Amino acid sequence: MIEIKNISKSYIKGEKIIDNLNLEIKDGEILGFLGPNGAGKTTVIKMMTGILEIDEGDILVDGKSIKNEPYEAKKNIGLIPDSPDMFLNLKGIEYLNFIGDIYQIENSERIKKIKELSEKFDMYDALNEKIESYSHGMRQKIVIIGVLLHEPKNWILDEPITGLDPKAIYDLKVMMKEYAKKGNVVFFSTHILEVAENLCDRVVIINKGKILFLGNMNELKEKMKENTSLEELFMEIIEDD
């Protein structure tokens, strides 16, 4: 479970990018995080994972404060960032072993997981190539594999589908559903509203650092017009704001 408690963030004094935001992400659910460009989605994710400092409030990851117990909190997080362009001078297998070392994954278990996940994402034959030679989609895949190696209790994804081929998108969505069914948190931001509509247990819509809506699709449709797509509902909420 992730508990976001009254967090705020300002880059310029007096101008809050995130304004007193509260949110609870429950074990076993897929929560979609929606909003227009500049709404504050990536800023929230960076605070959730300890990349950015929180100006006000706190975030608890399975009861551990990301501010006061960052090491313990981060052990239970797996982050897929919005850009996969990292560790470009390493080979794919070197990157995965680096992640395995960080999370102290036993060698035989590590070898098994790397083989299983790299074959699922059609990356096994590319593991001995440098990440800088990978396409954007391949870089995204190697980051996803690295995140899943230690089976984090809380899986946080920032625009994870960007750059993936149709098979990888399908595989990722199946894995997200399976991951949540095991009692884990799956929290992801996306611009692809159809994916959120078909995949999420609940959705959050934010704009200007504030939550405009939190609930399931039925609640969203009850709030707005009947027989309306998520895209139309989204645009109506943003325009009202």
Side-chain angles (χ1 to χ4, degrees):
M1 176 184 289
I2 299 176
E3 300 168 84
I4 298 174
K5 297 177 174 287
N6 302 105
I7 62 167
S8 294
K9 182 68 181 177
S10 300
Y11 292 122
I12 301 173
K13 189 174 181 180
E15 295 184 19
K16 289 187 176 181
I17 303 299
I18 305 299
D19 189 3
N20 197 38
L21 190 142
N22 285 277
L23 181 62
E24 183 179 288
I25 307 132
K26 303 172 184 176
D27 291 341
E29 81 167 335
I30 301 176
L31 184 66
F33 198 40
L34 312 178
N37 289 335
K41 300 189 300 298
T42 295
T43 297
V44 171
I45 287 174
K46 287 182 176 180
M47 288 193 286
M48 289 171 69
T49 52
I51 297 171
L52 278 179
E53 289 187 5
I54 302 167
D55 292 347
E56 300 172 25
D58 200 358
I59 296 173
L60 304 182
V61 182
D62 294 329
K64 304 296 183 181
S65 167
I66 198 72
K67 291 175 68 174
N68 302 320
E69 304 168 277
Y71 180 75
E72 293 300 320
K74 290 177 185 180
K75 285 198 300 186
N76 293 323
I77 292 173
L79 170 66
I80 297 176
D82 58 342
S83 172
D85 298 331
M86 58 184 74
F87 300 101
L88 299 181
N89 288 324
L90 295 181
K91 295 178 180 178
I93 189 64
E94 292 173 337
Y95 170 73
L96 296 179
N97 278 318
F98 169 65
I99 297 298
D101 288 343
I102 289 175
Y103 288 99
Q104 300 178 329
I105 302 170
E106 194 271 328
N107 195 51
S108 61
E109 181 66 16
R110 182 189 309 187
I111 292 170
K112 177 185 173 183
K113 286 183 177 178
I114 289 174
K115 185 174 188 298
E116 175 186 307
L117 290 167
S118 62
E119 287 180 345
K120 177 179 278 292
F121 283 100
D122 296 323
M123 287 291 293
Y124 186 77
D125 292 337
L127 291 182
N128 284 310
E129 299 171 15
K130 282 195 172 184
I131 295 173
E132 66 182 357
S133 72
Y134 289 177
S135 67
H136 179 89
M138 292 171 71
R139 293 179 187 183
Q140 190 80 337
K141 290 178 184 180
I142 204 71
V143 171
I144 291 170
I145 293 167
V147 164
L148 292 175
L149 280 183
H150 75 286
E151 298 182 358
K153 179 71 176 171
N154 302 278
W155 194 10
I156 301 172
L157 308 93
D158 193 358
E159 299 289 346
I161 291 172
T162 304
L164 296 182
D165 58 77
K167 180 183 181 300
I169 290 172
Y170 175 80
D171 288 340
L172 180 60
K173 289 193 291 187
V174 169
M175 294 176 78
M176 290 166 74
K177 290 178 181 178
E178 291 175 347
Y179 219 72
K181 283 182 180 178
K182 294 177 182 178
N184 300 308
V185 163
V186 177
F187 177 89
F188 79 106
S189 70
T190 181
H191 286 297
I192 305 174
L193 302 180
E194 184 181 358
V195 172
E197 187 170 10
N198 295 329
L199 192 61
C200 296
D201 299 301
R202 294 189 299 160
V203 296
V204 180
I205 299 176
I206 74 164
N207 195 23
K208 301 174 185 175
K210 294 184 177 181
I211 292 177
L212 305 184
F213 175 82
L214 169 61
N216 60 40
M217 282 305 303
N218 288 334
E219 292 169 333
L220 180 56
K221 288 182 176 179
E222 287 174 6
K223 177 181 175 67
M224 311 305 290
K225 298 175 182 177
E226 293 183 0
N227 302 317
T228 305
S229 69
L230 179 59
E231 184 177 30
E232 292 169 318
L233 292 169
F234 174 81
M235 290 307 300
E236 187 170 345
I237 290 173
I238 296 302
E239 286 169 2
D240 286 346
D241 184 58

